[in-house]
Amino acid sequence: MYIRFQKGRYFMETRVLTAPGLGSSGPLHWQSIWEQEPGIIRIEQRNWHAPVCADWVAQIEAAVAAAGPQVVVVAHSLACIALVHWAAQTKLRIRGALLVAPADAERPAFPPEAKGFAPIPLQPLLFKSIVVASTNDSYTTLERTRFFADAWDSRFVNAGPKGHINADSGLGEWPEGQKLLKELLLDWHTL
């Protein structure tokens, strides 16, 4: 999905990068469905099943560097946490981020195969962002996700009872998420 903005005689294109969480996003996940649109590209990770935060951050850095500053990153679950780690150390800029169902890497039941994601950075993000939470997410609580959104200076959206907002949630294309992405792409005033 490229959005073209005309400014004078030049066009700026906003690109979309998806960042799946632990295990990646399968074919029925809304991220995979969105990636069927031209211009939506997945940030690939070397190891989806035993992730190391520093490695994931390096892959985000490379993908954003290749895409340029007019990019919106759509992260899910553990990739949300990797993205805030990236934001805390990068010199690159992005247009915005949609952070969906951030997994709480500090909870006691956090998967032991994922290394280096805690502590979670709590600095305000230097780009527009929307954090989407579910009331019945098994990887965090609604209150904890609201805490993250406040710390990151992000708009908070309660999506209702949608589980981990993944393929198991049966969201298909997830039109509500597409609307939030469009808000970031078009810089709508609702932010």
Side-chain angles (χ1 to χ4, degrees):
M1 175 185 298
Y2 289 107
I3 302 291
R4 295 176 68 96
F5 299 96
Q6 186 169 5
K7 201 172 194 178
R9 297 170 52 194
Y10 301 98
F11 286 96
M12 293 187 312
E13 291 183 339
T14 299
R15 300 165 190 244
V16 176
L17 298 175
T18 62
L22 183 67
S24 193
S25 294
L28 299 180
H29 194 289
W30 54 267
Q31 281 184 316
S32 299
I33 295 169
W34 290 9
E35 290 163 5
Q36 295 173 23
E37 290 288 324
I40 299 182
I41 300 166
R42 178 174 291 200
I43 299 173
E44 292 293 343
Q45 296 295 344
R46 291 186 184 100
N47 192 335
W48 290 109
H49 301 287
V52 175
C53 185
D55 295 342
W56 278 34
V57 167
Q59 290 298 106
I60 293 169
E61 179 81 359
V64 169
Q70 290 301 319
V71 66
V72 171
V73 178
V74 180
H76 179 256
S77 190
L78 189 58
C80 297
I81 306 308
L83 187 72
V84 296
H85 277 281
W86 168 81
Q89 62 191 40
T90 190
K91 297 207 182 321
L92 299 176
R93 295 287 173 244
I94 61 173
R95 186 176 182 89
L98 182 60
L99 303 163
V100 181
D104 187 353
E106 296 173 355
R107 68 187 169 86
F110 186 70
E113 62 272 17
K115 308 288 186 208
F117 290 87
I120 298 169
L122 298 175
Q123 298 89 351
L125 299 174
L126 300 178
F127 44 83
K128 288 189 177 185
S129 57
I130 301 172
V131 172
V132 184
S134 167
T135 58
N136 61 342
D137 190 334
S138 58
Y139 294 92
T140 190
T141 64
L142 187 69
E143 295 75 22
R144 185 78 165 144
T145 307
R146 186 183 299 274
F147 169 76
F148 293 145
D150 289 344
W152 299 333
D153 198 21
S154 302
R155 177 177 161 209
F156 178 79
V157 174
N158 180 344
K162 301 249 189 298
H164 193 46
I165 313 179
N166 58 9
D168 292 341
S169 302
L171 300 173
E173 293 180 353
W174 191 36
E176 298 88 352
Q178 290 175 327
K179 181 178 181 244
L180 295 171
L181 173 59
K182 190 177 278 190
E183 288 183 24
L184 286 168
L185 288 170
L186 299 176
D187 199 21
W188 284 349
H189 69 280
T190 55
L191 298 175

